[in-house]
């Protein structure tokens, strides 16, 4: 499409279907009426010229015959005769009559029919042996009729335009009526908790075919959802049973006389069994509440969730000679002088899933240095000293089955076969960050990949800790925005909520 027509196409797309039908009908009728008006005007002009030429030609012939007999012709009202005789005997006979000579202005006019503007009249000149005959006819009467015809023609155009607005509106309403009924029925069907047949009358036209397709698609969708809910319920039940056995066995083992080392292992088994149970509950909730906000569960403050995640992943980090530390930035002042996270509680299981996946990835793909969990006034940040993410990876890192270059490099280092970006291999399936993003979106949180340099400028104290542990390098940075703010202005390292 030419660039000059894009604004019109954009404007056309913003008009509703009813408005487009009405506008198209009105435009069609207007163009037809204008074409009709143009045709009428052209026909009037052509007819006028043809009739006047024929009538004035006959009159000039009659005048010539009368003049040949040496008499002065008698003319009807509105007609006038002028002569321009040639020298000689033929012209002398004309000069003997009382017919006035031809005005100078008429001499310049060509032979045949023409119109005079001042005064308005029709002129017909004809050259014969005796000279030039000029016959004129007053145009006033014909001009009045022509003006009346023009006014009637243009009035008809405006009448057609007004009628087309009314008829177009009725036509648009009639055309869209079955579509609107179908739309209402589909909205009612979508709002139901289970499949209900379409309540709209189904005809045999194109709208009826669309209605049947919508009804079939909705029925198949609800059937698939029912199957998925039944499947997730069955899987959840089957997984809970062995987890309950594991947790109960762990409780029984704790009652026995165990060494300190054995007791730590049993507690680890019980903790992970409980975590797995909570994870199953979360996945079941995600599957059963698609498109709606997640239900709230046991609330906890952000710092409590950070402590729990740090406790869970610190042994793994220590085994890789990594530091997993918590960094609390200074409370950035609100207009009332309070931290925006202070006193707020969040769904612990959901926040632990999001934060846990970020910390897990950071520990897994960081070979040296540290992993830092920063608590700010609006949320959390997980930064590491690992290889980081490229721009292309950062844009797609939350896609399912997407694995970064660090995961593929670790895979090759362990001797696995090379794979294309995004394939599933070794420890990571490429689903952790996708799950984290899904949970964050359903909880109304923001989860983003931050630019390390910009993040370091905004959080210089936390960045200094990371750079000290890695000779100035900062890898990947993920931010969780738990509290939404409208606008943030940074003045002398302080943030004021406007």
């Amino acid at each position: 499409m030419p660039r000059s027509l894009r604004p019109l196409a954009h404007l056309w797309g913003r008009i509703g279907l009813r408005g487009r039908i009405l506008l198209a009908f009105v435009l069609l009728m207007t163009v037809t009426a204008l074409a009709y008006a143009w045709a009428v005007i052209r026909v009037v002009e052509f007819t006028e010229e043809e009739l006047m030429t024929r009538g004035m030609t006959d009159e000039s012939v009659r005048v010539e015959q009368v003049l040949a007999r040496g008499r002065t012709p008698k003319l009807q009202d509105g007609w006038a005769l002028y002569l321009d005789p040639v020298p000689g005997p033929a012209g002398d006979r004309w000069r003997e009559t009382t017919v006035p000579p031809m005005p100078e202005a008429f001499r310049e006019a060509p032979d045949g029919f023409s119109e005079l503007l001042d005064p308005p009249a029709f002129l017909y000149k004809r050259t014969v042996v005796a000279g030039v005959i000029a016959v004129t006819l007053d145009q006033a009467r014909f001009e009045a009729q022509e003006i009346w015809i023009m006014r009637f023609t243009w009035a008809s155009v405006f009448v057609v335009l007004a009628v087309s607005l009314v008829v177009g509106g009725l036509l648009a309403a009639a055309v869209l009526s079955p579509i609107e009924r179908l739309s209402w029925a589909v909205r009612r069907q979508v709002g139901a908790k289970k499949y209900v047949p379409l309540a709209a009358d189904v005809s045999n036209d194109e709208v009826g075919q669309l209605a049947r397709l919508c009804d079939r698609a909705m029925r198949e969708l609800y059937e698939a959802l029912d199957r998925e809910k039944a499947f997730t319920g069955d899987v959840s039940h089957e997984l809970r049973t062995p987890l309950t056995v594991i947790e109960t066995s762990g409780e029984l083992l704790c009652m026995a006389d165990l060494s300190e080392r054995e007791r730590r292992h049993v507690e680890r088994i019980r903790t992970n069994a409980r975590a797995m149970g909570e994870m199953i509950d979360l996945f079941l909730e995600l599957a059963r509440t698609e498109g709606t906000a997640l239900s709230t569960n046991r609330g906890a403050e952000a710092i409590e969730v950070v402590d729990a995640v740090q406790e869970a992943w610190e042994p793994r980090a220590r085994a890789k000679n990594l530091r997993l530390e918590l960094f609390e930035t200074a409370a950035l002042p609100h207009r009332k002088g309070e931290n925006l996270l202070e006193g707020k509680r969040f769904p612990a299981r959901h926040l632990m899933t999001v934060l846990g996946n970020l910390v897990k990835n950071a520990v897994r793909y960081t070979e040296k240095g540290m992993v830092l969990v920063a608590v700010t006034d609006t949320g959390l940040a997980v930064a590491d000293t690992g290889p980081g993410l490229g721009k292309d990876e950062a844009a797609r890192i939350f896609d399912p089955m997407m694995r970064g270059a660090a995961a593929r490099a670790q895979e090759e280092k362990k001797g696995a076969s090379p794979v294309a970006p995004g394939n599933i291999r070794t420890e990571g399936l490429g689903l952790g960050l996708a799950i984290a993003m899904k949970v964050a979106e359903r909880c109304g949180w923001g989860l983003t990949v931050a630019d390390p340099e910009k993040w370091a400028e905004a959080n210089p104290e936390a960045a200094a800790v990371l750079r000290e542990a890695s000779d100035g390098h900062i890898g990947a940075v993920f931010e969780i925005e738990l509290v939404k703010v409208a606008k943030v202005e940074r003045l002398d390292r302080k943030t004021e909520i406007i």
Side-chain angles (χ1 to χ4, degrees), residues 18 27 36 67 106 137 209 214 222 307 335-336 354 359 393 425 430 446 484:
R18 183 189 296 271
L27 287 176
Y36 158 78
L67 289 173
F106 290 6
L137 177 61
Q209 295 176 7
C214 290
Y222 274 103
D307 290 339
R335 177 168 290 182
K336 297 181 180 179
V354 177
V359 173
E393 290 178 333
R425 294 291 188 274
K484 301 289 185 180

Side-chain angles (χ1 to χ4, degrees), residues 322-362:
L322 297 176
R323 291 160 51 193
L324 176 57
E325 295 185 3
L326 167 66
F327 184 90
E328 283 193 81
T329 60
L332 299 173
H334 186 255
R335 177 168 290 182
K336 297 181 180 179
E338 60 184 2
N339 191 305
L340 293 179
L341 289 184
E342 186 176 355
K344 291 188 179 295
R345 303 182 73 83
F346 305 93
R349 184 173 67 206
H350 303 152
L351 184 54
M352 192 170 296
T353 299
V354 177
L355 183 62
N357 273 291
L358 298 180
V359 173
K360 175 185 68 177
N361 278 7

Side-chain angles (χ1 to χ4, degrees), residues 291-320:
T292 59
L294 291 175
S295 62
T296 58
N297 52 32
R298 179 174 57 86
E301 292 191 10
I303 190 64
E304 296 175 352
V305 175
V306 173
D307 290 339
V309 172
Q310 184 180 12
E311 181 180 356
W313 283 95
E314 196 166 21
R316 177 76 175 268
R318 195 184 308 114
K320 295 182 65 176

Side-chain angles (χ1 to χ4, degrees), residues 197-481:
L198 285 178
D201 297 332
V202 179
S203 56
N204 291 323
D205 56 9
E206 291 80 358
V207 178
Q209 295 176 7
L210 177 62
R212 284 187 284 271
L213 287 174
C214 290
D215 186 67
R216 187 177 69 183
M218 194 63 67
R219 183 179 66 251
E220 293 175 353
L221 175 62
Y222 274 103
E223 290 175 353
L225 289 175
D226 290 339
R227 289 195 299 270
E228 182 180 353
K229 289 179 181 179
F231 173 75
T232 53
D234 294 342
V235 170
S236 174
H237 175 74
E238 293 299 327
L239 290 176
R240 280 198 189 98
T241 301
L243 285 175
T244 302
V245 173
I246 293 172
E247 190 171 354
T248 303
S249 300
E251 291 177 357
L252 293 175
L253 282 174
C254 285
M255 297 178 185
D257 187 14
L258 302 175
S259 65
E260 186 64 27
R261 182 171 178 272
E262 291 172 337
R263 190 171 297 278
R264 284 200 306 271
H265 283 301
V266 172
E267 283 298 331
R268 188 176 178 184
I269 292 173
R270 293 180 60 195
T271 300
N272 281 277
R274 285 195 296 270
M276 180 62 71
E278 292 185 352
M279 187 68 68
I280 291 173
D281 291 338
L282 176 62
F283 290 159
L284 184 62
E285 189 175 3
L286 284 172
R288 289 186 172 180
T289 59
E290 186 68 34
T292 59
L294 291 175
S295 62
T296 58
N297 52 32
R298 179 174 57 86
E301 292 191 10
I303 190 64
E304 296 175 352
V305 175
V306 173
D307 290 339
V309 172
Q310 184 180 12
E311 181 180 356
W313 283 95
E314 196 166 21
R316 177 76 175 268
R318 195 184 308 114
K320 295 182 65 176
N321 293 321
L322 297 176
R323 291 160 51 193
L324 176 57
E325 295 185 3
L326 167 66
F327 184 90
E328 283 193 81
T329 60
L332 299 173
H334 186 255
R335 177 168 290 182
K336 297 181 180 179
E338 60 184 2
N339 191 305
L340 293 179
L341 289 184
E342 186 176 355
K344 291 188 179 295
R345 303 182 73 83
F346 305 93
R349 184 173 67 206
H350 303 152
L351 184 54
M352 192 170 296
T353 299
V354 177
L355 183 62
N357 273 291
L358 298 180
V359 173
K360 175 185 68 177
N361 278 7
V363 171
R364 177 178 293 171
Y365 301 121
T366 301
E367 297 299 330
K368 63 178 182 178
M370 70 178 301
V371 175
L372 188 70
V373 181
V375 181
T376 67
D377 67 328
T378 59
L380 306 172
V382 178
D384 58 52
T385 57
L389 297 171
K391 290 184 178 180
D392 293 339
E393 290 178 333
R396 300 183 295 113
I397 196 63
F398 295 110
D399 294 344
M401 305 297 179
M402 172 61 193
R403 305 178 67 225
R408 299 193 300 274
Q410 188 181 88
E411 192 173 69
E412 294 177 5
K413 185 178 179 181
K414 291 182 178 181
S417 58
V419 292
N423 284 358
I424 304 174
R425 294 291 188 274
T426 65
E427 295 184 16
L429 300 178
L431 291 174
L433 292 180
I435 293 173
M437 174 59 79
K438 190 171 185 179
V439 174
E441 288 178 345
R442 301 279 287 281
C443 289
W445 303 330
L447 178 57
T448 56
V449 180
D451 181 86
E453 296 301 325
K454 293 182 179 178
W455 182 83
E457 292 177 4
N459 302 273
E461 297 87 355
V465 176
L466 282 169
R467 284 172 171 157
E468 182 181 355
S470 62
D471 298 328
H473 172 71
I474 299 178
V477 180
F478 291 85
E479 289 185 311
I480 309 172
E481 186 182 21

Side-chain angles (χ1 to χ4, degrees), residues 44 48 52 115-117 119-122 137-151:
V44 168
E48 179 185 73
M52 289 299 102
E115 288 190 46
L116 301 177
L117 300 178
F122 300 114
L137 177 61
D138 186 12
Q139 196 180 2
R141 186 181 55 163
F142 297 95
E143 189 71 22
Q145 293 178 349
E146 186 175 353
I147 291 174
W148 185 87
I149 293 174
M150 295 298 179
R151 288 177 178 175

